[in-house]
Amino acid sequence: MASEEELIASVDALLAEEPQLPPPAERARLREAAGITQARLALALRTSTQMVKGYETGRSEPQEPRLTAYVRLLNGWAAKYPATAAVRQPEVPETFTGPTTPEPTELETPAPAPPPADQTAPERRPARPATSRRPAAKKAAHPVMTDPRFPNGPLAVLDGHGSAHGIDDLVLHCPATTIPELVEWTLTESGLGAAKLHRNGKDADPLIVLTAAAAVKFGLPERLEGHEQRRSLRLLEDHPVVKQITRAKWQLTQRGFGPWARVYRKAQGRDRQCVQLAILPWDALDERSWPGVADMDAADIARVLGTYATRVTTPRGSTAVSGLELMTALRPPTRAVRDEATGGWVSGHNAGSLGTEPMDPAPPEATPEHPVVVDSGWKGGFLNEEAYQWVRSVDTLSDEECTLPFAVGLDLNTAFLAAASRLTVGLSAPDHFHAPTFNPKIPGSWLVDLSHIELDPRLPSPFTPDGTRPTGPAWYQTHTVAYAQELGHDVHPVEAYLRRETGAYLDPWHDRLKNAYVDTLADLGVTKDLDDHAFLTAMEQHKQADPAMAAVLSAIKATVKGGVGKLRERPQGRHYKAGERWPALERPTWRPDIRAAVISKARVNMHRKLNNMVKMTGLYPLAVLSDCVVYPSPGESPLDFLPYAASGKPQPGGFRLGPTPGLAKLEGVQSMLWAVDLMEKGLNPARHIKGGDAVMDEGE
């Protein structure tokens, strides 16, 4: 039994604590019951309307002396307007937010300071008149729900006149004249940001995009030059803008101030203090992924990037970086778990994720320069799961094929994305097995001899990227070996590296990107309800229908391929020496085995369709390059050779036209004579079928 002195001391300790605020929802209820607006309350507390919104959503908390004044006001309102059933529930964290400093992107290493001072509420300008060259934005079929903490969307594009252009033609006035002022305004006044994509994840930091005129206004050079690689472009540490950031107690990641700069302070509790900047004149938006966007006006750029941010994720660098970051955002590595000993909340592993620690691959899954290979002296060979680059021998062409007038190229929509659907991958470290029995349900790498399998020389081998027959035992991913079984052949692995913990890690990534791809195509007039004739017509015109949405579509496709490629990012720089660790190896998402699984499944899917086409039509391809296949054809349209049932419906199992991942579209048409001429020279017709000497993107 506690003594009277002990009880009094305990109560005194409680009284000495800082004033306690009611839950955020109760704060809003009391203000509304008193008939006071957020703007009027902000004026009384000498803060901004945006900060009051933060108090009432739980995104931020007032500091002294504002805290005491706010508590006094709320207590007064509570006495006047008691809740009818005010039962205060203990606050349990909705999620564990994990690290409180910005996560690294590409070669970044974060380094960790007090929250920015409150500023006055921003002046908002009305939306600009419809003087843009772009077509009017189409209404979304499913309106996006706006998070009350981020009423102005995920990003803004600054022009040179102090206007910040956001989504839906929103225009905000930005009074900042320096980068530190811009960061402060973004975090306290702009209302920019995006809610987390998973309940165990983190909100997206706001993105500010600087046009060339805005960059000059903030004292930035028009170009960054003098570096051997684009990825090393950054301002020198003695540049005035970098000094401004340092003096204002803000920090930059180790990547410094480059095309994609992250400016931050150490987080306050659950509130992150970080802004992402993209500098357009420094080529932040790669023309290959974002065609024509850098030359658009600020409002059009905001429309393109805002649509991408809403449907995919707020850009954080290249589309490859964004693709990789999206995987983590949808499968956060940690979640809040109750510590039974203390009753508090601690960080725990989130099932189905890749965790927080990097994992070394098995030697055959690594690259030749990887430390696990160099340090062990591994000589046992490597996985060679890559996309197809195959050209059929002209000696196998029949007279009938040579007399056909046309070569028609078909391209599979986002083939890697289709392969990621329902793909089981390893989540734990690899274990080594000798003479294992093959199990197609276990992801991993198998050493097996498939050289005895006889296949039609008019088709590429499904076991090698160049389509040639294997010459002996080699390492294969599970899907490749399983396909050999599917074709009716016995397989007897010599050894294997397998993973005991497995899961469909990429499923949410696939689902989000598939929806983004299909919705964006629909905005361009290519919808699922079109018949094959109408689909081909719509695809001929879709890029001209709306260049802004066409750029979004291009970025989505680049996000898929780049994200898969990032799973096995190689070392950069001419000074790298084999056996040294490189920055990408410190990411849990450096997983070459998952990349191999995606590409293996995509290549197997392609071969299965090629095989089925032979059975249904008797046609053999001329060439395959990644997700593009070229066929000889009696006409200029895929409709002249694709298999259809008597009812007019496409035959399942072969190539089918359509707008969803895994279905096909027309890539290009040339003469058969043109294709044979390239084949005789050892060149791949699929690489040039578009015309204009186009080069296909091979996926990484």
Side-chain angles (χ1 to χ4, degrees):
M1 189 69 176
S3 67
E4 181 179 350
E5 291 78 6
E6 289 173 330
L7 290 172
I8 292 175
S10 179
V11 169
D12 287 343
L14 287 176
L15 291 173
E17 289 186 3
E18 65 180 19
Q20 297 298 305
L21 285 166
E26 177 66 2
R27 304 170 201 173
R29 186 195 72 79
L30 290 171
R31 177 185 54 75
E32 291 169 356
I36 302 298
T37 65
Q38 289 179 330
R40 187 174 173 190
L41 176 56
L43 186 62
L45 293 176
R46 303 296 191 271
T47 186
S48 68
T49 305
Q50 197 62 39
M51 291 302 290
V52 171
K53 289 179 181 178
Y55 302 161
E56 295 184 356
T57 58
R59 183 171 180 263
S60 60
E61 299 290 341
Q63 306 296 319
E64 291 292 6
R66 189 173 291 114
L67 174 61
T68 298
Y70 190 33
V71 170
R72 177 183 176 87
L73 178 62
L74 292 175
N75 287 342
W77 283 341
K80 287 184 178 181
Y81 313 107
T84 54
V87 180
R88 181 169 179 176
Q89 299 294 332
E91 290 193 43
V92 178
E94 176 189 357
T95 178
F96 182 79
T97 58
T100 57
T101 52
E103 308 88 338
T105 58
E106 294 201 18
L107 303 182
E108 293 180 357
T109 302
D118 298 330
Q119 297 181 2
T120 58
E123 173 190 345
R124 296 173 65 111
R125 294 183 182 178
R128 67 191 180 97
T131 57
S132 170
R133 291 164 292 143
R134 69 187 188 283
K138 297 180 176 66
K139 295 294 183 182
H142 305 286
V144 178
M145 298 302 292
T146 303
D147 190 300
R149 297 170 301 157
F150 312 115
N152 294 329
L155 56 84
V157 180
L158 284 182
D159 61 22
H161 308 291
S163 294
H165 300 261
I167 61 174
D168 297 330
D169 276 330
L170 173 72
V171 182
L172 300 174
H173 172 62
C174 176
T177 58
T178 66
I179 293 296
E181 289 178 0
L182 175 61
V183 172
E184 297 269 6
W185 173 83
T186 302
L187 292 175
T188 61
E189 304 295 337
S190 71
L192 296 173
K196 56 198 172 189
L197 298 179
H198 186 282
R199 62 189 179 90
N200 292 325
K202 292 179 282 292
D203 296 330
D205 298 318
L207 168 64
I208 299 293
V209 181
L210 272 64
T211 61
V216 171
K217 175 182 175 181
F218 285 101
L220 299 172
E222 292 186 15
R223 306 292 301 174
L224 278 182
E225 299 174 351
H227 296 275
E228 64 186 48
Q229 297 183 65
R230 181 180 180 277
R231 67 193 305 115
S232 65
L233 292 173
R234 67 186 70 185
L235 291 180
L236 298 177
E237 292 185 4
D238 61 354
H239 191 278
V241 169
V242 176
K243 290 182 176 180
Q244 288 174 358
I245 293 170
T246 303
R247 283 197 300 269
K249 308 298 184 187
W250 291 98
Q251 299 183 33
L252 295 165
T253 60
Q254 285 193 356
R255 289 206 55 144
F257 201 109
W260 290 89
R262 295 180 70 75
V263 185
Y264 71 98
R265 286 176 180 158
K266 185 176 179 181
Q268 286 279 331
R270 293 176 62 184
D271 288 340
R272 291 164 61 80
Q273 303 270 323
C274 183
V275 173
Q276 176 80 64
L277 301 176
I279 318 301
L280 294 186
W282 299 354
D283 299 326
L285 298 181
D286 192 317
E287 176 68 17
R288 294 168 297 179
S289 301
W290 303 93
V293 176
D295 296 327
M296 295 179 180
D297 62 31
D300 288 328
I301 296 170
R303 180 176 173 232
V304 171
L305 296 180
T307 302
Y308 179 90
T310 302
R311 293 179 178 176
V312 181
T313 187
T314 304
R316 291 190 55 181
S318 67
T319 48
V321 169
S322 297
L324 198 68
E325 292 290 334
L326 181 63
M327 295 180 194
T328 303
L330 295 168
R331 292 280 197 190
T334 60
R335 66 184 180 91
V337 296
R338 179 77 77 176
D339 187 328
E340 298 299 332
T342 65
W345 294 92
V346 296
S347 173
H349 175 65
N350 188 29
S353 76
L354 298 182
T356 59
E357 298 299 322
M359 182 185 302
D360 280 339
E365 298 167 348
T367 56
E369 66 272 14
H370 195 286
V372 301
V373 174
V374 176
D375 295 346
S376 66
W378 173 259
K379 302 294 184 183
F382 300 94
L383 279 175
N384 189 24
E385 299 288 11
E386 302 293 342
Y388 268 133
Q389 296 191 53
W390 171 79
V391 180
R392 182 173 157 193
S393 170
V394 291
D395 296 336
T396 65
L397 292 174
S398 67
D399 291 340
E400 183 182 359
E401 287 175 313
C402 290
T403 58
L404 291 172
F406 297 105
V408 176
L410 292 177
D411 180 70
L412 296 183
N413 301 321
T414 56
F416 287 176
L417 185 61
S421 176
R422 314 298 174 253
L423 175 67
T424 301
V425 300
L427 301 177
S428 55
D431 291 321
H432 193 196
F433 297 88
H434 291 279
T437 300
F438 178 68
N439 186 334
K441 295 183 178 180
I442 301 178
S445 304
W446 309 77
L447 180 62
V448 61
D449 191 349
L450 302 178
S451 62
H452 63 284
I453 298 178
E454 287 276 1
L455 293 172
D456 193 313
R458 291 171 292 182
L459 289 177
S461 167
F463 311 127
T464 60
D466 63 3
T468 59
R469 183 174 174 174
T471 57
W475 289 96
Y476 301 98
Q477 202 275 335
T478 298
H479 280 87
T480 305
V481 184
Y483 189 57
Q485 268 194 343
E486 181 183 323
L487 294 175
H489 303 283
D490 290 333
V491 292
H492 303 284
V494 178
E495 58 181 306
Y497 286 90
L498 309 176
R499 287 169 167 80
R500 300 178 188 273
E501 184 183 345
T502 65
Y505 172 71
L506 293 174
D507 265 9
W509 185 79
H510 162 271
D511 294 347
R512 186 166 178 84
L513 285 166
K514 175 185 176 181
N515 290 337
Y517 181 83
V518 171
D519 289 348
T520 306
L521 263 180
D523 285 344
L524 292 166
V526 186
T527 57
K528 295 180 182 179
D529 58 347
L530 299 176
D531 62 29
D532 286 357
H533 289 87
F535 169 74
L536 290 172
T537 301
M539 287 301 296
E540 284 182 9
Q541 306 164 353
H542 79 284
K543 290 185 179 179
Q544 291 74 39
D546 187 342
M549 287 300 101
V552 175
L553 187 70
S554 172
I556 292 169
K557 292 190 287 186
T559 301
V560 173
K561 289 191 173 183
V564 172
K566 275 282 183 181
L567 292 168
R568 198 193 66 166
E569 184 177 0
R570 304 292 285 270
Q572 306 289 332
R574 61 182 179 179
H575 301 298
Y576 174 79
K577 295 180 180 179
E580 296 176 344
R581 294 187 69 83
W582 60 95
L585 299 188
E586 307 312 315
R587 297 193 313 246
T589 48
W590 197 86
R591 291 294 301 272
D593 56 301
I594 296 180
R595 174 187 176 275
V598 172
I599 298 177
S600 169
K601 185 178 174 183
R603 198 180 65 244
V604 164
N605 286 348
M606 172 66 84
H607 192 276
R608 188 181 289 112
K609 292 179 187 297
L610 298 174
N611 224 4
N612 289 337
M613 284 287 289
V614 173
K615 297 173 184 176
M616 290 186 284
T617 68
L619 285 176
Y620 292 86
L622 301 177
V624 183
L625 181 69
S626 187
D627 46 13
C628 178
V629 56
V630 178
Y631 273 101
S633 171
E636 297 182 78
S637 170
L639 302 176
D640 294 319
F641 65 88
L642 289 179
Y644 290 86
S647 64
K649 293 185 177 180
Q651 291 277 27
F655 294 102
R656 297 174 55 191
L657 299 176
T660 56
L663 297 187
K665 60 180 179 291
L666 177 63
E667 181 69 11
V669 182
Q670 300 290 341
S671 71
M672 184 65 178
L673 184 62
W674 170 91
V676 173
D677 183 54
L678 286 183
M679 294 166 67
E680 288 177 337
K681 296 176 181 177
L683 302 176
N684 194 322
R687 187 181 297 276
H688 308 280
I689 193 70
K690 274 186 175 180
D693 206 30
V695 176
M696 293 288 294
D697 184 350
E698 295 162 29
E700 187 179 352

